[in-house]
Amino acid sequence: MSPKLAEGTNYKVADLGLAAQGRMKIDWAESRMPVMAALRKEHAAKQSLKGMKIAGCLHVTKETAVLIETLSDAGAEISWSGCNPLSTQDDVAAALAEAGTSIYAWHGMDTEAFYWCIDRTLDFEPTLTLDDGADLIFSVHNRHQNLIPGIIGGTEETTTGIHRLRAMAADGALKYPVIAVNDAETKWDFDNVYGTGQSSIDGIIRATSVLLAGKNFVVAGYGHCGKGCAMRAAGLGANVIATEVKATAALKATLEGHEVLPMDKAAAIGDIFITATGMKDIIVKRHFEVMRDGAIICNTGHYDCEINIEDLEALAVSKREIRPNCDEYTMADGRHIYLLAQGRLVNLAAAEGHPSEVMDMSFANQFLSMVRLTSEGKDLSTDVHDIPVEQDQSIAGIKLSSMGMSMDVLTEAQILYADDYSAGT
Ligand code: 9W4
């Protein structure tokens, strides 16, 4: 472990000198998270989490800091670690440590340090766990089983984590109830379409500064993320071309005004390519061979195998980093192809991930799940539980009113009309 780290009785972070800068980032995020502000006001007054000890393992970002401080203001004791060594923002970690939060996180830590940090957050014997990737739940179940009787429940943020926890529950191996935060509509739908849509375009622009208007913008995969990217690129004046393997998704892309082509055709006419499929080998050798000079390629799908970088490396005669997060590959015939963020998620590596306004809703789901586990956790079965529909509606409602919008309400007569089956249709 690096000797340069700052260590205290309840923290280990990179550099406390970054705290003032981190605090400004947190203040900025907080001002963009009105749902969290409303929940903080209500639950700080009620002290809904009083007596709870929450161990968290989730990306240490400015938005997560808002979640941590909201949980703390609602009466909980907190101990936190980052869930990915590359996502920890050292200035945010320093600001949290300076404000007294127990936090063990620094950018670029190795695997041994990662588990050391998780173990430190378990030292205070938590009553609740809050996860992104389920490392905390796995650590409790595999290495700290003595803590299980004291744990009321946990939450999990990601699809992958939830998938594994459901498998654990099916085998009878899960020992406390878990709420699947990802499955809330106010989480995955808004994250994927609006969060990934904007931040992916943001990553492309930060890495390249190119004009999108008039460009052929090829989106591989028209799922929620692909749709978000397509919508925003079209809004900036690009001609969007979607590639798909699923007819219904391809049809949606067509009816939303985009062209649909197989990648073999799109490869030759695209100016900018973004992969958002979750599948490997979307852009391979034969595509690189026909691409235009100056083509830009990047990935916003779940994995970094969508673009076959080995094929690109094999075709190239030279490579240089021409700008941060932008590698220029020169082909034998003199054409240049630009790969962004080394094929990793462009919205995270070259931009800042989901905007705070989007994280506002994801983290409202985390917060309300902690409140639900506190009040009802003892009655929940040892299984993976969904977010209640009313919670989704309540979060969306607070978000709407914070934006000055208001809705209609069904009258009694309308509710009766909808349920009435006496007179046929
Ligand atoms: N960030 C991340 C992961 C890997 C990574 C260039 C190659 C996810 C969700 C939220 O995973 C996250 N690798 C990088 S940068 C980087 C960043 N590089 C750098 O060289 C390796 C991550 C959730 N979230 C938001 O989206 C916004 N606020 C949040 O809390 C954060 C980070």
Side-chain angles (χ1 to χ4, degrees), residues 58-59 61-64 84 86-87 89 107 132 325 341-342 344-345 347-349 352-356 359 363:
L58 193 144
H59 306 286
T61 63
K62 58 191 185 304
E63 293 81 13
T64 300
N84 180 333
L86 292 178
S87 64
Q89 296 170 1
H107 185 88
D132 182 310
N325 284 311
Q342 298 156 26
R344 291 167 204 264
L345 296 173
N347 68 320
L348 293 169
E352 291 176 62
H354 304 315
S356 305
M359 296 310 296
F363 286 165

Side-chain angles (χ1 to χ4, degrees), residues 82-347:
C83 66
N84 180 333
L86 292 178
S87 64
T88 294
Q89 296 170 1
D90 285 329
D91 48 4
V92 170
L96 286 165
E98 193 191 59
T101 299
S102 298
I103 177 151
Y104 306 89
W106 58 95
H107 185 88
M109 65 171 61
D110 62 18
T111 308
E112 190 193 336
F114 180 81
Y115 288 105
W116 180 86
C117 289
I118 287 187
D119 287 353
R120 293 296 68 71
T121 67
L122 295 173
D123 283 343
F124 79 154
E125 302 185 348
T127 57
L128 297 169
T129 61
L130 190 156
D131 253 301
D132 182 310
D135 281 310
L136 208 42
I137 297 179
F138 296 151
S139 293
V140 167
H141 282 70
N142 296 333
R143 294 183 290 113
H144 299 278
Q145 290 159 0
N146 58 312
L147 299 177
I148 291 172
I151 298 181
I152 301 168
T155 56
E156 166 55 34
E157 176 91 359
T158 64
T159 322
T160 322
I162 290 165
H163 190 81
R164 293 192 180 139
L165 293 169
R166 286 200 204 280
M168 245 172 113
D171 288 347
L174 186 66
K175 300 297 179 201
Y176 59 81
V178 175
I179 298 179
V181 171
N182 186 68
D183 295 358
E185 197 180 346
T186 41
K187 158 66 169 81
W188 66 267
D189 201 11
F190 293 84
D191 265 25
N192 291 338
V193 180
Y194 307 101
T196 306
Q198 172 166 317
S199 59
S200 300
I201 303 292
D202 185 9
I204 293 170
I205 293 175
R206 289 194 203 196
T208 64
S209 84
V210 294
L211 178 74
L212 265 74
K215 296 287 194 320
N216 288 338
F217 189 94
V218 180
V219 179
Y222 204 76
H224 284 89
C225 295
K227 178 188 160 139
C229 295
M231 181 164 60
R232 296 313 181 216
L236 286 167
N239 310 312
V240 174
I241 300 166
T243 73
E244 251 302 337
V245 290
K246 194 172 163 196
T248 45
L251 183 60
K252 281 183 196 168
T254 308
L255 298 196
E256 277 156 29
H258 313 308
E259 198 172 347
V260 174
L261 287 176
M263 185 57 86
D264 282 342
K265 291 220 167 89
I269 56 172
D271 298 303
I272 301 168
F273 298 79
I274 187 160
T275 55
T277 68
M279 178 51 68
K280 68 174 199 158
D281 288 343
I282 303 304
I283 302 182
V284 296
K285 182 169 182 269
R286 68 178 189 280
H287 303 127
F288 296 128
E289 283 171 343
V290 298
M291 275 183 191
R292 287 178 170 176
D293 180 27
I296 293 165
I297 54 177
C298 61
N299 169 48
T300 197
H302 199 66
Y303 304 106
D304 59 6
C305 57
E306 303 210 10
I307 299 170
N308 192 319
I309 297 167
E310 295 89 70
D311 281 0
L312 182 59
E313 299 260 349
L315 284 172
V317 292
S318 67
K319 170 186 168 185
R320 60 175 174 157
E321 187 185 23
I322 191 162
R323 299 164 53 90
N325 284 311
C326 183
D327 289 335
E328 179 189 66
Y329 289 81
T330 304
M331 305 291 112
D333 59 8
R335 282 174 307 124
H336 299 111
I337 294 178
Y338 298 93
L339 174 66
L340 308 188
Q342 298 156 26
R344 291 167 204 264
L345 296 173
V346 71
N347 68 320

